[in-house]
């Protein structure tokens, strides 16, 4: 892994969220400076800010794109107790020439009495549906009945979760066998309220969302939650950022009789649990085909997790805040490291340190003197094995190979 | 930032002063202080998955401490951006597809030559790629070659020699340099070249070079001639001939003994270079190891050693020689490197170990995916007691293809790879293809065709919908309408038809006539679209002075009640000039047809303003 380029986001305060659009050609950033910026990728791969505007009167926590079938639509949520929906309109031609775009506010959703902590569009097969959750423990589901008129949103459901909500995730499955489902995580600190993850399912008969499951084993605050793409499977996979990274498998149980109107019951299994952040985990997210899970924690690193074809999970990469890989962790490496020991595998739910010696495809770097295969070798820093338990490595300056090095502002030393 | 920190610490100092009597509170203060410090030091990292990269930025989820104004684009797979490797990906794609098309039910004896030719094709692609790449990368690729050799059962040593010649190609450059010099025989690299040729078993070339020296030194001509005859006589197994391996072995031993005899009776003692060559010919390992720099690698040493020591080596014995060659060649200081163990595993025919080591050592999936696929087709993975062979194949092919998908043009190759993954190929393709950016209509059509060929209806609908929506927001109504017809999106078609009619009302003419005139059965997608098509047809008939037909059509539009209410007034206004036409008059006055038009009239006039009514 390497930093292909760095983009000076030019926000006046902390960036809280960065979100790619569906095709990965645009991105949106949001910040404590109360603004949202939209960036467009040019053909040569450069990112240009094409819009920047004040969206809220408080920190903007999250920004997210609607599916492009609904046009160029963004939703944001903020500490100012509102969520907002924005739509890009094609402006004057000279704006386009100057590389600018116009975003107008279509609606402000003001139902929450506290900070709105997350906002997510539902999978597109449900129509243009938006869910928000707030610190007062309410999940709200809004719908735009006329997709051509985004200023009309109706509050369809209000789910009281009893606990302060920090994050939501829609189940992306479009299978008819799976009714709409949303998982909610709570960052409530009180460990006596166990079950910080609740799963709600839409019931066709009552036309309401009802609680289908509470993950009782999750007792610590939850900061992020993410359903994996379904891949046509009958079960669901849910990643959770709590004091560690956990991956749950939710297997719908066959109903006793088809007419029963209660919510689906699930068999809940822990597929994997990683504590290598050694601390609070703040974000989890799946890649497109859910072959990789990324997590980010108090250790200031992003870790990439990958299951091999026997469903054994390993860390395959670690990134620092500046995007540089830690000790050369990279590549696909450990995905196969369990190969050949099929019989001798422990049912490891906790995967600790994974050592991943990496070897790069030859590059045009200068050869290292003295090596027989000097010409084949990447720079030394990249072939050291990842050693997660060895903390001495963590404080070494990262050795990065950059294609493009931005002028980094000098930062004050932080360790004193 | 410094100020903030300073102030906070001053503040804390005061705070501590005030509280210094209240020791019971100290614990909590310290906790607070601790948290504060952590807050200052701590940097969190936010991230976002993209199609081919991850965005990474510094943030702080606890809302303390400074932010960092950069978003970094972190890429995983850089190889796909190499133009030469792109060629490799493209070429190997054809071979892969060819391999998938080999029929399963074919008798296995017919299949084997096909598999061998697939392997050969992969090798020639690698070879072509190597020639373009710098030597650096070429060496790595050449190791792929040797692994592929093992997939084919064949005449081992010949293959190995071929491989070594391929990868130690610098000899050819050196020989050119020597021959082009003013006095080749006195060139400092002269003997190096001769010995390199011998080590690679290229005897004819070695002899040619040696002759130059012999011609210059008439005095020592006899020993040169002796060496020449030894080199010439060296038996090389020819798989095409009728000679059996045993016959060859007898012949080779005879030759070997002859070389040994000359060495023992010091025939070459007068020329140390020739003596060295003779020692190599009898397979003297120490002498070979004295020329490490000419050998370059332990596997070259292995091949040379086998050539002069045990040319009839069986594949099963190879591992023993490989391991010992490596041990002899590497001094104790240098530990084996990943590539060494891959090769060693290959010599051991531990295919599974090869796949595993390659996956760890190489940072792209190209090689492992293709190798595993080939092995799987040859049913070689099963014979190694891996019952999950086909899963491993699919896993690796999916990984490789997913990597290709993040590239702006290589994604098209990946489609075929996904097609040949029975378990998850389809759903991976669905997830990946809908993310392909649709920058132009042409690209959208290309993606659409791929989806249509595979009956991926949801993706087809979604792409059309996205394109329709985009065209509409750019005010390209015609394009929006044709995309929504393709998407079979009735609601959207209705909406766009309405826009067309509105535009007509304001401008008095239609845009995109080509499209509307040629709607055909697509018109039936929505009532409003039907109306739009028919109304435009009315205009055409009118323009062509076919008044009766025009009137009939207008009438049917009125009676079928598919016209939007807002449009009735326009319809009635359109009817006026028709009523003045003579032939239409007779038609309209036909009693049977009067009722509907009057119905429409009264219905319409009830809803429109009085002024309009009077006008009518």
């Amino acid at each position: 892994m390497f930093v292909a380029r760095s983009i000076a986001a030019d926000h006046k305060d902390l960036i809280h969220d960065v979100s790619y659009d569906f095709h990965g050609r645009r991105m949106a950033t949001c910040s404590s400076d109360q603004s949202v910026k939209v960036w467009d990728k040019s053909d040569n791969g450069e990112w240009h800010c094409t819009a920047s505007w004040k969206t809220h009167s408080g920190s903007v926590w999250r920004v997210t794109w609607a599916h492009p079938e609904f046009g160029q639509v963004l939703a944001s949520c903020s500490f100012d107790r509102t969520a907002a929906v924005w739509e890009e309109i094609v402006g004057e031609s000279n704006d386009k020439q100057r590389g600018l775009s116009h975003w107008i506010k279509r609606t402000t959703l003001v139902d929450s009495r506290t900070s709105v902590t997350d906002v997510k569009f539902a999978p597109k097969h449900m129509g243009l549906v938006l869910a928000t959750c707030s610190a007062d423990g309410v999940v709200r589901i809004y719908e735009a009945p006329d997709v051509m008129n985004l200023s009309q949103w109706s509050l369809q459901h209000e789910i009281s979760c009893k606990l302060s909500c920090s994050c939501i995730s829609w189940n992306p499955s479009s299978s008819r066998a799976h009714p709409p489902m949303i998982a909610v995580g709570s960052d409530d600190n009180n460990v006596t309220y166990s079950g910080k993850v609740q799963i709600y399912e839409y019931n066709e008969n009552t036309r309401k969302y009802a609680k289908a499951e509470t993950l009782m084993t999750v007792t610590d605050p939850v900061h992020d939650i993410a359903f994996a793409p379904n891949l046509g499977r009958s079960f669901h996979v849910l990643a959770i950022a709590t004091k560690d990274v956990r991956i749950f498998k939710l297997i719908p149980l066959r109903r006793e009789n088809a007419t029963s109107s209660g919510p689906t019951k699930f068999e809940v299994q822990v597929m994997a649990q990683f504590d290598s952040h050694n601390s609070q985990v703040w974000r989890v997210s799946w890649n497109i085909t859910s072959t990789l899970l990324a997590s980010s924690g108090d250790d200031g690193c992003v870790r990439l997790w990958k299951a091999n074809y026997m469903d054994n999970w390993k860390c395959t990469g670690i990134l620092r805040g500046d995007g540089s890989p830690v000790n050369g962790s990279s590549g696909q490496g450990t995905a196969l490291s369990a190969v050949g020991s099929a019989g001798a595998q422990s049912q490891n739910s906790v995967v600790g340190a994974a050592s991943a010696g990496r070897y790069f495809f030859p590059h045009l770097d200068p050869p290292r003197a003295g090596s027989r295969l000097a010409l084949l070798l990447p720079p030394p820093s990249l072939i050291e094995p990842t050693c997660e338990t060895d903390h001495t490595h963590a404080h070494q300056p990262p050795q990065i190979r950059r294609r493009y090095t931005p002028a980094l502002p000098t930062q004050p030393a932080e360790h004193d | 930032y410094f100020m903030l920190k300073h102030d906070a610490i001053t503040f804390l100092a005061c705070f501590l002063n005030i509280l210094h009597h209240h020791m019971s509170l100290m614990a909590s203060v310290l906790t607070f202080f601790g948290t504060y410090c952590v807050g200052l030091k701590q940097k969190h990292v936010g991230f976002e998955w993209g199609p081919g990269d991850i965005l990474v930025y510094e943030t702080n989820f606890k809302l303390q401490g400074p932010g960092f104004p950069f978003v970094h684009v972190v890429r995983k797979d850089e190889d796909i951006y190499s133009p030469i490797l792109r060629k490799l990906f493209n070429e190997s794609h054809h071979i892969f597809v060819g391999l998938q098309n080999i029929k399963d039910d074919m008798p296995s004896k017919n299949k084997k030559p096909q598999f061998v030719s697939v392997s050969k094709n992969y090798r020639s692609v690698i070879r072509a790629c190597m020639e373009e790449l710098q030597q650096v990368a070429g060496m790595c690729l050449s190791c792929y070659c040797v692994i592929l050799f093992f997939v084919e059962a064949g005449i081992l040593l010949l293959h190995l020699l071929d491989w070594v010649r391929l990868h130690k190609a610098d000899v050819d450059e050196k020989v050119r340099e020597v021959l082009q010099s003013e006095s080749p025989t006195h060139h400092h690299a002269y003997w190096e070249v001769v010995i390199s040729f011998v080590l690679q078993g290229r005897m004819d070339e070695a002899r040619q070079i040696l002759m130059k020296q012999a011609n210059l030194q008439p005095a020592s001509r006899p020993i040169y001639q002796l060496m020449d005859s030894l080199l010439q006589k060296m038996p090389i197994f020819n798989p095409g001939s009728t000679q059996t391996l045993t016959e060859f072995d007898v012949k080779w031993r005879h030759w070997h003994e002859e070389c040994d005899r000359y060495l023992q009776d010091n025939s070459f003692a007068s020329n140390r270079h020739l003596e060295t060559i003779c020692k190599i010919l009898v397979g003297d390992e120490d002498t070979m190891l004295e020329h490490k720099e000419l050998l370059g690698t332990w596997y070259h040493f292995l091949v040379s050693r086998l050539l002069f020591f045990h040319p009839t080596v069986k594949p099963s014995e190879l591992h023993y020689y490989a391991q010992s060659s490596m041990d002899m060649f590497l001094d104790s200081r240098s530990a084996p490197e990943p590539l060494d163990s891959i090769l060693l595993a290959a010599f051991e025919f531990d295919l599974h170990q090869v796949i595993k080591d390659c996956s760890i050592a190489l940072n792209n999936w190209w090689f492992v995916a293709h190798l595993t696929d080939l092995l799987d087709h040859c049913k070689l993975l099963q014979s190694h007691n891996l019952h999950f062979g086909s899963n491993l194949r699919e896993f690796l092919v999916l990984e490789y293809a997913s990597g290709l998908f993040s590239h702006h043009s290589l994604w098209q190759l990946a489609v075929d790879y996904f097609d040949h993954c029975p378990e998850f190929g389809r759903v991976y393709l669905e997830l990946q293809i809908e993310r392909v950016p649709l920058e132009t209509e042409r690209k959208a059509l290309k993606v659409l065709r791929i989806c249509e060929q595979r009956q991926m209806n949801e993706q087809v609908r979604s792409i059309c919908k996205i394109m329709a929506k985009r065209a509409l927001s750019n005010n390209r109504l015609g394009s929006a309408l044709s995309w929504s017809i393709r998407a079979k999106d009735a609601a959207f078609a209705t909406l766009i038809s309405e826009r067309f009619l509105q535009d007509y009302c304001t401008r008095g003419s239609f845009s995109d006539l080509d499209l509307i005139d040629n709607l055909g059965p697509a018109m039936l997608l929505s009532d409003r679209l039907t109306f739009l098509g028919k109304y435009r047809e009315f205009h055409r008939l009118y323009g062509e002075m076919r008044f009766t037909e025009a009137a009939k059509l207008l009438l049917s539009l009125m009676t079928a009640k598919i016209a939007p209410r807002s449009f009735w007034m326009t319809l009635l206004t359109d009817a006026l000039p028709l009523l003045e036409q003579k032939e239409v008059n007779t038609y309209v006055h036909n009693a049977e047809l009067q009722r509907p038009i009057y119905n429409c009239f009264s219905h319409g006039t009830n809803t429109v303003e009085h002024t309009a009514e009077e006008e009518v």
Side-chain angles (χ1 to χ4, degrees):
Chain A
M1 277 180 296
F2 65 100
V3 177
R5 53 166 42 86
S6 297
I7 306 150
D10 200 28
H11 274 289
K12 304 277 183 293
D13 207 334
L14 270 182
I15 300 173
H16 291 297
D17 199 15
V18 172
S19 177
Y20 260 120
D21 80 333
F22 188 73
H23 290 122
R25 299 285 300 178
R26 317 187 83 181
M27 68 166 173
T29 54
C30 67
S31 156
S32 268
D33 68 8
Q34 310 182 352
S35 73
V36 164
K37 286 176 197 274
V38 172
W39 304 76
D40 282 84
K41 192 174 174 177
S42 63
D43 290 335
N44 61 11
E46 305 257 6
W47 287 94
H48 301 283
C49 180
T50 53
S52 172
W53 71 102
K54 183 175 185 288
T55 48
H56 290 273
S57 53
S59 288
V60 189
W61 300 142
R62 299 264 194 166
V63 61
T64 187
W65 294 83
H67 193 276
E69 277 184 24
F70 304 109
Q72 297 298 307
V73 179
L74 281 172
S76 58
C77 67
S78 162
F79 182 72
D80 72 1
R81 299 181 287 184
T82 67
V85 176
W86 310 88
E87 187 175 24
E88 184 183 37
I89 51 166
V90 176
E92 302 299 310
S93 55
N94 54 354
D95 273 348
K96 242 187 176 168
Q97 278 161 9
R98 278 184 289 146
L100 297 175
S101 68
H102 275 300
W103 290 80
I104 55 171
K105 188 192 271 189
R106 289 303 187 192
T107 195
T108 307
L109 307 169
V110 295
D111 303 278
S112 173
R113 291 174 178 191
T114 53
S115 173
V116 181
T117 49
D118 200 359
V119 61
K120 294 273 163 68
F121 283 102
K124 68 170 192 294
H125 66 268
M126 291 171 59
L128 190 50
V129 170
L130 186 68
T132 65
C133 71
S134 51
D136 58 2
V138 182
V139 172
R140 292 181 177 85
I141 295 172
Y142 298 88
E143 185 174 3
D146 176 5
V147 296
M148 295 312 296
N149 180 5
L150 299 188
S151 50
Q152 298 281 319
W153 288 82
S154 58
L155 177 59
Q156 297 280 328
H157 305 280
E158 254 184 332
I159 308 166
S160 173
C161 302
K162 308 287 196 298
L163 293 174
S164 162
C165 300
S166 55
C167 50
I168 41 180
S169 175
W170 287 97
N171 185 341
S173 172
S174 60
S175 157
R176 289 217 184 107
H178 300 144
M181 183 194 283
I182 190 165
V184 190
S186 167
D187 57 358
D188 190 292
N189 272 311
N190 193 332
V191 285
T192 55
Y193 301 120
S194 59
K196 297 288 163 53
V197 173
Q198 301 172 31
I199 291 156
Y200 293 89
E201 194 185 65
Y202 183 68
N203 187 312
E204 285 288 348
N205 298 322
T206 61
R207 300 190 177 190
K208 283 199 164 77
Y209 280 84
K211 194 189 284 183
E213 190 66 54
T214 304
L215 303 183
M216 296 305 287
T217 52
V218 184
T219 52
D220 293 280
V222 170
H223 293 284
D224 202 7
I225 194 164
F227 272 110
N230 183 266
L231 300 180
R233 299 175 295 214
S234 62
F235 58 87
H236 313 296
V237 174
L238 184 66
I240 290 168
T242 174
K243 65 168 191 216
D244 48 22
V245 179
R246 269 179 237 185
I247 305 174
F248 285 93
K249 189 178 191 174
L250 305 170
I251 309 162
L253 295 176
R254 196 187 288 267
R255 284 162 190 267
E256 298 282 301
N257 55 30
T259 54
S260 106
S261 61
T264 315
K265 291 287 165 220
F266 295 97
E267 183 193 334
V268 179
Q269 291 176 0
V270 178
M271 287 171 83
Q273 191 166 351
F274 321 115
D275 56 5
S276 27
H277 283 290
N278 278 321
S279 56
Q280 182 67 55
V281 183
W282 292 91
R283 284 287 173 98
V284 282
S285 174
W286 298 93
N287 69 348
I288 296 175
T289 47
S290 69
T291 50
L292 280 166
L293 177 74
S295 64
S296 164
D298 266 348
D299 60 351
C301 290
V302 176
R303 281 162 202 270
L304 304 181
W305 307 94
K306 181 165 184 59
N308 71 6
Y309 63 100
M310 319 249 325
D311 253 353
N312 275 293
W313 292 80
K314 289 278 165 66
C315 179
T316 66
I318 310 170
L319 291 170
R320 292 170 184 285
D322 59 3
S324 62
V326 173
N327 288 331
S329 59
S330 164
Q332 68 263 40
T334 49
L336 275 162
S337 51
V339 167
S341 55
Q345 268 159 41
S346 56
Q347 277 300 351
N348 57 334
S349 54
V350 178
V351 181
S355 76
R358 283 311 132 56
Y359 208 85
F360 275 69
F361 214 62
H363 297 297
L364 306 177
D365 296 317
R368 188 175 64 173
S371 167
R372 287 169 296 113
L373 299 169
L375 295 172
L376 288 173
L377 284 174
S381 66
L382 291 168
I383 51 163
E384 282 170 30
T386 311
C387 186
E388 294 178 47
T389 47
D390 185 354
H391 289 290
T392 55
H393 283 272
H395 298 294
Q396 285 172 1
Q399 296 189 341
I400 332 156
R401 282 178 315 124
R402 281 171 196 269
R403 290 237 166 119
Y404 162 72
T405 312
L408 296 173
T410 45
Q411 280 230 301
E414 287 173 334
H415 295 290
D416 50 12
Chain B
Y1 170 56
F2 270 130
M3 289 279 288
L4 179 80
K5 203 163 138 190
H6 180 74
D7 286 348
I9 289 166
T10 321
F11 159 74
L12 272 169
C14 299
F15 193 47
L16 288 174
N17 264 336
I18 297 162
L19 290 177
H20 88 275
H21 297 299
H22 306 271
M23 292 305 287
S24 62
L25 284 172
M26 275 307 285
S28 62
V29 170
L30 286 173
T31 315
F32 168 66
F33 189 69
T35 321
Y36 176 81
C37 289
V38 169
L40 277 183
K41 256 203 267 181
Q42 218 159 43
K43 275 183 181 171
H44 288 142
V45 190
F47 59 86
E48 163 78 356
W49 280 109
D53 44 31
I54 313 174
L55 299 177
V56 171
Y57 55 98
E58 278 189 16
T59 182
N60 196 310
F61 296 115
K62 285 182 185 162
L63 313 177
Q64 297 162 338
F68 196 72
F70 283 95
V71 176
H72 307 279
V73 182
V74 180
R75 220 173 256 161
K76 211 172 152 49
D77 194 352
E78 59 193 301
D79 291 337
I80 59 169
Y81 297 95
S82 145
I84 299 168
L85 289 178
R86 194 178 310 165
K87 212 172 275 176
L88 174 73
F89 297 151
N90 267 314
E91 301 278 321
S92 52
H93 162 255
H94 298 299
I95 306 169
F96 174 85
V97 173
L99 175 58
Q100 311 309 309
N101 293 337
I102 293 178
K103 299 271 182 305
D104 265 346
D105 49 1
M106 195 189 275
S108 58
K109 72 171 181 341
N110 295 359
K111 262 197 250 177
K112 197 174 171 187
Q114 294 211 35
F115 290 142
V116 171
S117 97
V118 166
S119 170
K120 278 191 181 136
N121 288 340
Y122 277 133
R123 268 162 38 207
S124 61
V125 170
I126 293 172
R127 224 176 244 236
C129 191
M130 275 174 68
E131 279 160 19
E132 287 193 43
L133 276 178
Q134 292 186 0
Q135 191 66 19
V136 237
M139 275 168 76
C140 198
L141 285 173
S142 81
C143 300
Y144 297 174
C145 273
V146 80
I147 298 163
L148 285 172
F149 284 133
F150 287 104
V151 175
E152 300 166 31
I155 316 307
L156 201 55
L157 192 63
L158 289 181
H159 284 314
L160 286 173
L161 278 174
D162 193 26
W163 169 58
V164 156
R165 281 168 201 168
L166 177 69
H167 121 233
K168 216 37 187 137
D170 57 342
V171 177
D172 298 299
E173 247 170 71
K174 223 186 262 175
V175 75
R176 221 169 297 134
E177 193 189 311
V178 168
L179 290 179
Q180 280 167 2
S181 68
E182 280 183 19
S183 159
T185 49
H186 291 102
H187 193 278
H188 65 94
Y190 175 83
W191 285 105
E192 278 178 27
V193 167
V194 177
I195 292 173
S196 294
F197 277 142
V198 172
L199 286 170
Q200 291 189 12
R202 295 159 75 170
M203 300 312 179
D204 290 339
E205 286 154 285
R207 284 171 57 212
Q208 274 176 22
I209 309 273
L210 268 182
M211 283 319 283
K212 290 191 186 300
Q213 193 77 296
N215 292 338
L216 288 176
Q217 300 178 12
S220 46
R221 186 168 277 175
I223 58 165
Y224 276 98
Q225 271 168 350
L226 184 60
M227 177 53 72
D228 188 64
S229 77
L230 280 183
L231 293 176
Q232 189 190 9
K233 274 191 281 181
M234 179 178 175
I236 301 286
F237 184 65
N238 178 3
S241 77
T242 52
Q243 187 187 38
T244 66
L245 206 58
T246 331
E247 283 165 2
F248 166 76
D249 196 40
V250 170
K251 227 174 141 187
W252 184 83
R253 274 171 204 287
H254 183 76
W255 171 82
H256 198 253
E257 278 159 21
E258 190 183 350
C259 294
D260 200 36
R261 223 169 26 246
Y262 287 123
L263 193 65
Q264 298 305 329
D265 62 19
N266 289 324
S267 299
F268 296 110
S270 59
N271 185 322
R272 67 183 171 92
H273 296 297
L274 292 181
E275 190 166 37
T276 302
I277 294 174
C278 192
K279 277 181 180 169
I280 292 173
L281 294 185
V282 299
D284 185 281
E285 286 153 355
D286 294 331
T287 312
M288 286 187 212
L289 285 171
E290 280 164 23
H291 296 88
K292 261 189 194 179
E293 71 285 354
L294 298 182
L295 292 163
T297 57
W298 65 267
Y299 32 94
H300 190 335
F301 173 55
L302 164 71
V303 175
S304 302
R305 198 177 150 212
L306 290 173
L307 180 65
F308 301 110
F309 191 74
H310 192 177
T312 53
V313 64
K314 290 189 192 69
S316 55
E317 300 163 329
L318 199 58
H319 178 244
Y320 158 75
Y321 286 104
Q323 182 72 57
S324 63
S325 299
M326 191 171 100
D327 293 345
M328 285 161 81
F329 192 86
L330 300 187
D331 43 40
S332 52
R333 277 170 300 150
S334 45
E337 293 175 31
L339 202 59
D340 298 333
S341 44
I342 293 175
L343 283 172
L344 213 52
F347 288 134
E348 213 174 335
F349 291 90
D350 187 345
L351 297 173
H352 206 222
Q353 192 66 33
V354 171
I355 294 169
K356 180 185 153 184
D357 286 351
C358 286
S359 322
I360 296 174
L362 309 168
N363 75 336
N364 76 49
W365 297 97
W366 177 84
F367 181 62
V368 266
H370 288 92
L371 175 68
T372 312
D373 175 57
L374 183 57
L375 292 172
D376 188 61
H377 277 273
C378 302
K379 310 264 182 260
L380 277 169
L381 285 178
Q382 275 89 336
S383 68
H384 282 71
N385 297 325
L386 298 174
H387 304 296
F388 39 81
S390 75
N391 276 341
L392 177 61
R393 173 195 167 274
E394 175 153 330
F395 177 85
L396 294 168
V397 173
L398 286 175
E399 287 291 344
Y400 171 64
S402 299
L404 291 181
F405 238 102
S406 59
H407 188 273
H408 60 89
S409 69
L410 291 174
W411 65 269
Q412 296 167 78
L413 305 179
V415 174
D416 286 317
Y417 286 89
F418 283 140
D419 281 349
H420 291 101
C421 293
E423 203 181 344
F424 285 114
R426 165 93 182 193
V427 59
Y428 268 60
L429 180 59
E430 287 175 358
L431 286 169
Q432 295 278 7
I433 204 155
E434 59 183 13
R435 303 273 178 168
V436 173
L438 310 167
E439 293 102 336
T440 58
E441 298 238 337
R442 202 164 144 250
K443 187 155 177 205
L445 288 170
K446 191 186 265 180
V447 178
L448 200 63
R449 200 158 45 241
I450 290 169
C451 295
E452 281 171 348
Q453 282 162 357
R454 287 158 185 79
Q455 279 95 45
M456 291 160 57
N457 301 327
E458 173 49 28
Q459 281 68 26
V460 168
R461 192 202 59 76
S462 186
I463 290 165
C464 296
K465 182 76 200 264
I466 291 168
M467 295 306 287
K469 181 78 195 181
R470 188 188 298 171
L472 182 66
S473 63
N474 288 321
N475 270 318
R476 287 183 289 115
L477 287 187
S479 171
L481 182 60
S482 64
W483 280 112
S484 59
I485 289 169
R486 268 192 108 138
K488 298 190 179 61
D489 185 338
F492 210 65
T494 300
L495 191 125
I496 298 163
S497 309
E498 213 130 85
R499 284 280 295 273
F500 267 110
L501 294 171
Q502 272 170 24
D503 281 8
Y504 170 74
C505 288
T506 49
R507 283 189 288 156
S509 66
F510 283 106
S511 58
D512 299 282
L513 288 178
D514 267 3
L515 176 71
I516 302 173
D517 284 347
N518 296 299
L519 282 172
M523 196 188 282
L524 300 172
L525 181 61
S526 92
D527 279 0
R528 201 55 44 86
L529 182 61
T530 316
F531 176 74
L532 172 68
K534 288 291 169 193
Y535 184 64
R536 161 64 197 152
E537 200 178 320
F538 159 74
H539 271 260
R540 212 182 60 226
L541 292 172
Y542 190 88
E544 291 165 6
M545 318 269 272
R546 291 150 73 184
F547 298 119
T548 313
E549 285 161 89
K552 270 186 194 166
L553 184 59
L554 191 66
L555 208 56
S556 69
L557 285 176
M558 289 170 169
T559 52
K561 291 179 182 155
I562 54 168
R565 258 164 186 272
S566 57
F567 212 72
W568 283 358
M569 203 54 228
T570 316
L571 283 185
L572 291 171
T573 323
D574 284 334
L576 281 181
L578 280 176
L579 291 169
E580 286 162 13
Q581 298 293 329
K582 199 178 151 204
E583 67 259 54
V584 178
N585 238 331
T586 51
Y587 172 73
V588 172
H589 284 105
N590 180 327
E592 268 178 69
L593 287 161
Q594 276 181 6
R595 181 120 334 256
I597 202 166
Y598 275 111
N599 277 346
C600 184
F601 239 115
S602 55
H603 208 92
T605 45
N606 284 343
T607 57
V608 295
E609 309 84 4
H610 275 287
T611 47
E613 195 181 0
E614 279 157 21
E615 206 178 303
V616 171

